[in-house]
Amino acid sequence: MTEELSEKVEKKLRRQFALVAREVWVDPDHRVDFMAFSPGVGGRNMKLEHGRFVFVEVKSCMADFKSGHGFTFRGDDNWLVCPRDLADELYDKMLLPLGVQVYCPDSGGSLRLRYDLSMRGTGSLREDSTLCLLWAMLMDSYSRWRTTGDVFRETGENCDL
């Protein structure tokens, strides 16, 4: 189930965002299943500093949701992707985290917005700079390509750019 949901997430993100990375370490203790970035537009130019990041966590079942892992919602937009029955159960039990949009596969297999707790207009949950998050995306993609591990786990350093 997790892999099936992850494939749907990746497909949706690649259609909507300029850059997409999987399993990104945003600091030594926090990893997000997917991170995507789209630069802002100002006049005729793309502006990186005005871009938007989406953080996506994928949960396949209640045990996965309650595992204590994977609640890195630190983007401008934050998505929780899960089966519809899990989303409904979480909503009914008031367990959905504030600041997230919950996406579930529809009957045709496409991800659709089910619940919106994003608090639009109240600001972003982003804690890091654009440069720092782009660096994390780049380093994780590079480390997977090189298969040598990523800079945060190897050095224990935070990005203070």
Side-chain angles (χ1 to χ4, degrees):
M1 176 60 76
T2 300
E3 189 56 38
E4 182 180 317
L5 290 171
S6 294
E7 287 173 12
K8 292 176 188 318
V9 167
E10 194 161 11
K11 183 178 177 183
K12 182 175 183 68
L13 290 175
R14 293 206 182 277
R15 279 194 316 266
Q16 296 179 357
F17 292 89
L19 297 171
V20 177
R22 209 172 184 174
E23 296 183 1
V24 177
W25 287 89
V26 294
D27 65 34
D29 300 319
H30 296 93
R31 182 189 59 80
V32 64
D33 290 333
F34 289 90
M35 186 189 301
F37 173 76
S38 186
V41 179
R44 289 185 256 177
N45 301 322
M46 289 191 170
K47 300 191 180 251
L48 290 178
E49 65 273 11
H50 298 292
R52 295 201 53 85
F53 286 89
V54 63
F55 281 42
V56 182
E57 294 289 358
V58 177
K59 299 295 176 193
S60 60
C61 62
M62 185 60 82
D64 188 13
F65 182 83
K66 290 185 172 186
S67 71
H69 302 289
F71 283 106
T72 306
F73 295 117
R74 295 180 175 183
D76 298 302
D77 295 309
N78 298 282
W79 299 357
L80 172 63
V81 177
C82 62
R84 187 174 178 169
D85 59 337
L86 176 59
D88 292 342
E89 182 179 357
L90 294 171
Y91 180 80
D92 291 343
K93 293 181 177 182
M94 295 190 289
L95 294 174
L96 290 174
L98 286 177
V100 304
Q101 294 175 301
V102 181
Y103 284 86
C104 305
D106 64 14
S107 59
S110 297
L111 292 179
R112 300 282 182 220
L113 181 63
R114 180 76 177 152
Y115 298 104
D116 189 347
L117 285 76
S118 62
M119 304 179 300
R120 291 204 184 270
T122 61
S124 169
L125 296 177
R126 181 165 20 142
E127 297 175 359
D128 294 310
S129 69
T130 298
L131 183 57
C132 186
L133 292 176
L134 287 173
W135 180 254
M137 290 176 78
L138 174 67
M139 290 309 297
D140 277 347
S141 294
Y142 177 74
S143 68
R144 254 186 287 296
W145 177 73
R146 293 271 307 183
T147 65
T148 59
D150 75 53
V151 70
F152 293 125
R153 283 175 280 170
E154 288 177 3
T155 66
E157 296 176 17
N158 278 327
C159 181
D160 292 324
L161 302 174

